[in-house]
Amino acid sequence: MIEINWGQPLSLVMSPAGDVQKFSTIEQVKYWLMKRWPIADEARSTALLQVEAAMDCVVPVDVARHAFVSAARSAGFIPEKPVNYTARQAA
């Protein structure tokens, strides 16, 4: 198995109390999307597909990260620090 570089850890504020979860690996992201995600919506499904595709080296990790951030926002989570994407990465 190839280790996929997730890049800089991504921290999300997960509750109104300010609880923060740090996502350091793509495997951790996949686990959360599959087992711990609070809602099963289209954004979550898309993120899971993109994460799995990135793990298979079919899409760039940045695409999976963007989909994950979109799923997080859909679930009501917010990045601890603002996330910036270029137009190319968001496409």
Side-chain angles (χ1 to χ4, degrees), residues 62-63 66 85-91:
D62 285 343
V63 171
H66 179 72
Y85 291 97
T86 65
R88 184 184 62 78
Q89 290 171 320

Side-chain angles (χ1 to χ4, degrees), residues 17 24 26-27 32 34 37 54-56 59 61 64 70 81 86:
S24 302
I26 199 166
E27 294 83 5
W32 268 78
M34 291 179 66
W37 216 245
M55 292 176 82
D56 290 335
V59 300
V61 173
S70 293
K81 296 178 184 172
T86 65

Side-chain angles (χ1 to χ4, degrees), residues 2-5 26 50-61:
I2 302 171
E3 182 176 323
I4 305 297
N5 182 1
I26 199 166
Q50 294 298 336
V51 164
E52 289 173 340
M55 292 176 82
D56 290 335
C57 301
V58 177
V59 300
V61 173

Side-chain angles (χ1 to χ4, degrees), residues 6 8-14 21-34 36-38 41 43-51 61-79 83 85:
W6 176 246
Q8 291 286 24
L10 177 64
S11 296
L12 298 175
V13 179
M14 307 292 279
Q21 176 64 44
K22 182 177 177 181
F23 294 91
S24 302
T25 67
I26 199 166
E27 294 83 5
Q28 182 185 23
V29 167
K30 182 179 176 182
Y31 170 80
W32 268 78
L33 287 169
M34 291 179 66
R36 310 236 4 229
W37 216 245
D41 64 357
R44 177 202 166 265
S45 296
T46 299
L48 187 55
L49 287 172
Q50 294 298 336
V51 164
V61 173
D62 285 343
V63 171
R65 284 178 69 98
H66 179 72
F68 179 65
V69 169
S70 293
R73 288 187 175 131
S74 178
F77 306 142
I78 56 171
V83 177
Y85 291 97

